[in-house]
Amino acid sequence: MLKKFGLDNGGRIRSVVNKVGQVGGPFRTFEFEVIAGNDDDFNIELMEDGTQLNFDMRYVYWCSRLAGERKRMLEQEFIEGQVIADAFCGVGAIIVTAAKKLGCNVIANDLNPDAVKYAEANAERNLIPNEKFHVECRDARDFIRSLRTKGKPSQIISF
């Protein structure tokens, strides 16, 4: 059965899951069932647009289908060296890449403390200096209001 799901690939894919139910709750997570593989290892390690990301999918929201939109924003909307504020940063896919590839300064936020932990770890994993990357854990409305005291960002994102 593992071969059917591509799990005979030298350990790169350890589990295959199926999402059950809807995305929900304050942290926008979802339940899933294990179809094949290891049913206690949900740690994701991936490379997106040259950025290494790591997170446990049980505790954070992740959507691979947004990779195209993240790439489009990086190529068409962000400018090298600008200040970016992200009210819903998740594990940091777009903001870590913006800091890494474009030298952007990041002020970010997520309500989910696990997402904040992973965003900070992903920035470190990708060698983003602390002075270019700051993440908070609070309600997005409060975060956006607080931007007035942090200097005006060039770009505010909230997708």
Side-chain angles (χ1 to χ4, degrees), residues 89 107-111 116 134-138 143 146 150:
C89 71
I107 307 165
N109 177 73
D110 203 282
L111 183 62
V116 168
H134 175 75
V135 184
E136 299 177 9
C137 184
R138 60 201 296 194
F143 170 74
S146 77
K150 293 181 172 79

Side-chain angles (χ1 to χ4, degrees), residues 78-86 94-108 128-135 143 147 150-157:
F78 295 170
I79 300 167
E80 190 172 326
Q82 76 182 153
V83 178
I84 298 172
D86 186 348
I94 194 166
I95 56 174
V96 172
T97 305
K100 181 177 180 175
K101 288 190 157 191
L102 299 173
C104 293
N105 291 300
V106 171
I107 307 165
I128 308 303
N130 288 337
E131 61 271 7
K132 293 186 89 44
F133 197 90
H134 175 75
V135 184
F143 170 74
L147 292 175
K150 293 181 172 79
K152 187 174 181 182
S154 312
Q155 184 81 251
I156 299 175
I157 58 174

Side-chain angles (χ1 to χ4, degrees), residues 1-68:
M1 178 150 181
L2 295 181
K3 191 171 187 170
K4 175 182 175 184
F5 288 102
L7 295 178
D8 61 339
N9 59 13
R12 286 187 41 219
I13 298 174
R14 298 179 303 272
S15 301
V16 176
V17 300
N18 179 43
K19 183 173 102 172
V20 294
Q22 299 294 316
V23 173
F27 303 145
R28 298 178 52 216
T29 55
F30 55 86
E31 292 188 29
F32 51 86
E33 64 183 347
V34 176
I35 296 173
N38 190 342
D39 62 358
D40 64 355
D41 179 8
F42 301 102
N43 191 51
I44 305 297
E45 299 170 4
L46 63 91
M47 180 80 73
E48 181 176 290
D49 203 15
T51 299
Q52 297 174 357
L53 300 170
N54 179 277
F55 54 90
D56 188 317
M57 67 183 285
R58 293 174 293 187
Y59 306 118
V60 299
Y61 175 78
W62 176 256
C63 180
S64 297
R65 288 181 284 183
L66 291 174

